Amino acid sequence: MSSILRPFPLLFTGVGVLSLIVTGSALGYVKIATAKLVTNTKNGSNEMVALDKKGQVAVFVSNSDHLAGVAPPATGAFDYDGAGNGFASGAAPSPSCTNCLPVDENAGNLYLWRLKKKGDQPANSIRQLTSSATGGFDANSHPDMDSKAQWVAWTSDQDHLGSNNDGNSEIFLVELDTDTIMQVTHTMGGGDKANRTATISDKGRFIAFDSTRDYAEAGNCKRPDGTTACSNPDHNSEVMFYDREAGTFTQVTDTSGDGNDAHEYPRISIDASHIVFKSTRSFAGVLGGGVTCVGSTGGCANDSNGEIMLYEIGERILTQVTDTINQAGCNDKTSNERPEVSKKGKYVVFQSECEEQLNAAGCGRCNGNDEVFYFETKKGEISQVTISDAGWNRVPRIAPTGSYIAWDTNRSYFGLNASHNEKLFIMKRGSTKPRAGLTAKMQVVEDEELADLNVVQHPRSQATTIQFDGGFPGSERIGISGNGRHVAFESSKNVGNQEIWLVDRNRCDHAYPDCL
């Protein structure tokens, strides 16, 4: 792979080419890869995407018409694999859908996109997984897929199988080879907060989610010790764990207070060894059920900040990753949130407003804006990935291997987002031997921080970004493949409605004029 040395901010982009950016004493490598359309619709919205291990299968939510199709955008035709399986000019539908129904914009449904042919499914084709006609865009939401694209878990308030008559949110599972839908949870009440944000392990065996329901009433549920009964009489949100093969539920947390905000966004590692989640509850002296808690910086107390918790399933150990103090700039339920975990629980990535507490010596202006951090479990160390002076860096995703981190930001790195629109960045996670004046951890530093404060960016920091900024929606969902090579996201930039896009870090498409 060649590299081109340019004075900041001149860039060169091309297939397999990295651009070396020089600014003052800071060095860094950035590559611009071309994002390509996965969906190409003319109405509605396509959002909440998740990817398989190879980045060749995507599941997403849509209320768009995938039957009619539209002509390709002005930026160029889409021919992903060079074999004519993309969007030819004027073709419809694009891409083809093997079983789509006429769209009903009153409901969001699940769709599956495949790059390569499988059985009767053509290459670059879409398949509809659910067929709800009502319920709004969130009728089927937050899908998650195992790494081999065999199973999808999601949240739905629809009655797919005649067993959700009260229309609260339940967890569902579909086996993709047979299109067989299963209802995982069977609870009453709680509305759209009843059972939320399902996340699935490999082979579709284990699912983690949060629930406000009392599983003492639902039955077939125990605490992690296998004997203590489940209990949630105050109906705050608790972290749950489901074993599909055994048909059993485990209530991981057992706390009281803070309603729907108590525990949120649980994410399970693909090997089902760890669950990470955000919590506002204190675990000091209230665990029970065979669970013990340790703190990365001591204790497991919480003064109602949002904190990141990591649960090791086999050992039944809960680790408090962040332990911040409720004070100005770090004083709410979202102070630390949106965690993700890699295989074997080695790395946890999350967003935080508490940079002054987590990285006082190296956070630049420390303005209390959202920054991306990661936690190295073995060392018990927290590292700051982004250093910026305003705006946000949010919804970070870490590849299951732990090798790459992707996030959405409105900050400018490497001189590539001076307008401060939303933009996608992907960074290689890593560390090097300490050097004088440099952190040993790789990170990216915003242009304004470099210019005004001379904050030093690590010279070996490697990042990839896309060729456009803007158009990102509020759902803020990013999908990442097993090794971080492929990243999927949603954007309306230059195409009107929200579409699903896919970027390959190793590929730049010469059909686009900005790929030289």
Side-chain angles (χ1 to χ4, degrees):
M1 178 177 291
S2 61
S3 61
I4 307 296
L5 178 64
R6 300 286 185 186
F8 179 86
L10 183 62
L11 302 177
F12 179 85
T13 63
V15 178
V17 177
L18 290 175
S19 299
L20 180 61
I21 307 302
V22 182
T23 172
S25 61
L27 297 173
Y29 299 85
V30 63
K31 179 167 61 176
I32 301 178
T34 299
K36 299 183 177 184
L37 282 168
V38 168
T39 61
N40 191 19
T41 55
K42 60 184 179 183
N43 54 10
S45 185
N46 304 276
E47 301 180 17
M48 302 183 193
V49 62
L51 281 178
D52 73 330
K53 179 179 180 179
K54 295 182 179 180
Q56 296 180 352
V57 183
V59 62
F60 58 96
V61 178
S62 176
N63 64 346
S64 297
D65 189 346
H66 293 274
L67 280 175
V70 294
T75 48
F78 176 14
D79 185 8
Y80 187 90
D81 59 5
N85 293 319
F87 301 160
S89 180
S94 53
S96 62
C97 183
T98 58
N99 70 335
C100 284
L101 301 171
V103 70
D104 190 325
E105 294 185 0
N106 294 313
N109 281 292
L110 299 190
Y111 291 82
L112 193 78
W113 169 80
R114 289 188 183 277
L115 169 63
K116 295 185 177 181
K117 173 181 172 60
K118 182 177 181 180
D120 60 353
Q121 301 165 54
N124 187 34
S125 64
I126 285 176
R127 187 162 103 246
Q128 188 170 343
L129 300 179
T130 64
S131 55
S132 300
T134 60
F137 194 82
D138 291 330
N140 300 279
S141 66
H142 296 93
D144 193 35
M145 180 166 49
D146 74 313
S147 66
K148 294 183 179 180
Q150 297 173 326
W151 300 86
V152 170
W154 79 100
T155 303
S156 178
D157 59 9
Q158 301 297 290
D159 193 0
H160 294 285
L161 301 172
S163 53
N164 188 24
N165 296 327
D166 73 335
N168 69 339
S169 61
E170 303 283 7
I171 305 302
F172 288 84
L173 185 64
V174 60
E175 186 177 13
L176 296 177
D177 283 345
T178 63
D179 283 348
T180 302
I181 293 178
M182 294 162 256
Q183 185 170 332
V184 172
T185 59
H186 295 80
T187 59
M188 297 295 293
D192 286 340
K193 308 297 183 182
N195 303 280
R196 304 179 297 183
T197 56
T199 174
I200 192 169
S201 71
D202 272 357
K203 300 180 181 179
R205 176 173 176 178
F206 300 105
I207 297 174
F209 60 99
D210 68 86
S211 177
T212 62
R213 300 301 85 202
D214 190 345
Y215 276 75
E217 303 167 359
N220 213 21
C221 180
K222 299 292 183 182
R223 294 297 314 285
D225 60 9
T227 58
T228 304
C230 297
S231 178
N232 188 21
D234 75 335
H235 295 292
N236 71 334
S237 62
E238 303 286 3
V239 176
M240 306 295 298
F241 179 70
Y242 173 70
D243 182 338
R244 177 179 56 83
E245 291 186 2
T248 57
F249 293 91
T250 300
Q251 183 178 329
V252 175
T253 60
D254 186 7
T255 59
S256 61
D258 218 7
N260 303 323
D261 299 315
H263 307 94
E264 291 184 292
Y265 304 115
R267 301 291 295 179
I268 193 170
S269 59
I270 61 170
D271 61 338
S273 61
H274 291 76
I275 300 172
V276 68
F277 57 95
K278 184 212 79 174
S279 175
T280 65
R281 301 296 82 203
S282 178
F283 289 94
V286 299
L287 287 164
V291 180
T292 58
C293 188
V294 297
S296 63
T297 56
C300 283
N302 189 338
D303 53 2
S304 297
N305 268 3
E307 303 287 5
I308 305 302
M309 309 297 296
L310 178 65
Y311 178 65
E312 188 175 356
I313 296 171
E315 299 297 324
R316 299 179 297 185
I317 295 175
L318 194 60
T319 299
Q320 185 168 344
V321 173
T322 60
D323 187 6
T324 55
I325 301 171
N326 193 312
Q327 63 184 32
C330 175
N331 58 350
D332 57 43
K333 299 174 182 179
T334 59
S335 296
N336 305 280
E337 63 167 345
R338 303 305 288 263
E340 297 278 345
V341 61
S342 70
K343 187 177 181 179
K344 297 182 180 180
K346 287 185 176 181
Y347 303 101
V348 173
V349 66
F350 59 98
Q351 70 185 57
S352 176
E353 303 169 353
C354 305
E355 55 182 334
E356 191 169 10
Q357 295 185 47
L358 299 177
N359 184 31
C363 58
R365 290 185 177 85
C366 305
N367 283 348
N369 60 316
D370 280 320
E371 304 281 10
V372 175
F373 289 81
Y374 77 86
F375 173 70
E376 193 169 353
T377 304
K378 186 176 181 179
K379 295 181 179 180
E381 295 178 354
I382 293 176
S383 301
Q384 188 166 349
V385 175
T386 62
I387 299 176
S388 60
D389 71 336
W392 69 78
N393 301 270
R394 60 190 183 189
V395 199
R397 293 296 308 273
I398 189 165
T401 60
S403 53
Y404 284 86
I405 299 169
W407 73 96
D408 168 22
T409 184
N410 69 348
R411 310 324 297 155
S412 181
Y413 302 107
F414 302 101
L416 295 175
N417 191 18
S419 60
H420 293 302
N421 290 321
E422 302 96 329
K423 198 172 184 71
L424 178 78
F425 273 88
I426 310 163
M427 198 191 82
K428 184 176 182 180
R429 183 206 56 76
S431 60
T432 63
K433 293 181 179 179
R435 293 172 58 182
L438 289 176
T439 173
K441 305 292 184 180
M442 297 183 193
Q443 83 289 98
V444 289
V445 181
E446 184 180 14
D447 305 335
E448 286 85 345
E449 292 274 31
L450 286 168
D452 296 343
L453 298 180
N454 198 30
V455 178
V456 179
Q457 177 173 287
H458 200 285
R460 295 186 181 179
S461 292
Q462 296 181 25
T464 301
T465 189
I466 55 176
Q467 81 277 21
F468 64 82
D469 56 64
F472 285 56
S475 62
E476 307 167 359
R477 185 68 184 268
I478 296 171
I480 190 166
S481 64
N483 62 3
R485 174 175 173 176
H486 297 91
V487 175
F489 62 98
E490 57 222 43
S491 175
S492 61
K493 186 72 171 185
N494 296 327
V495 293
N497 57 318
Q498 295 291 344
E499 303 285 7
I500 303 298
W501 301 73
L502 184 68
V503 60
D504 180 344
R505 289 187 297 100
N506 296 343
R507 183 167 181 172
C508 188
D509 188 347
H510 287 267
Y512 288 81
D514 63 344
C515 185
L516 305 177

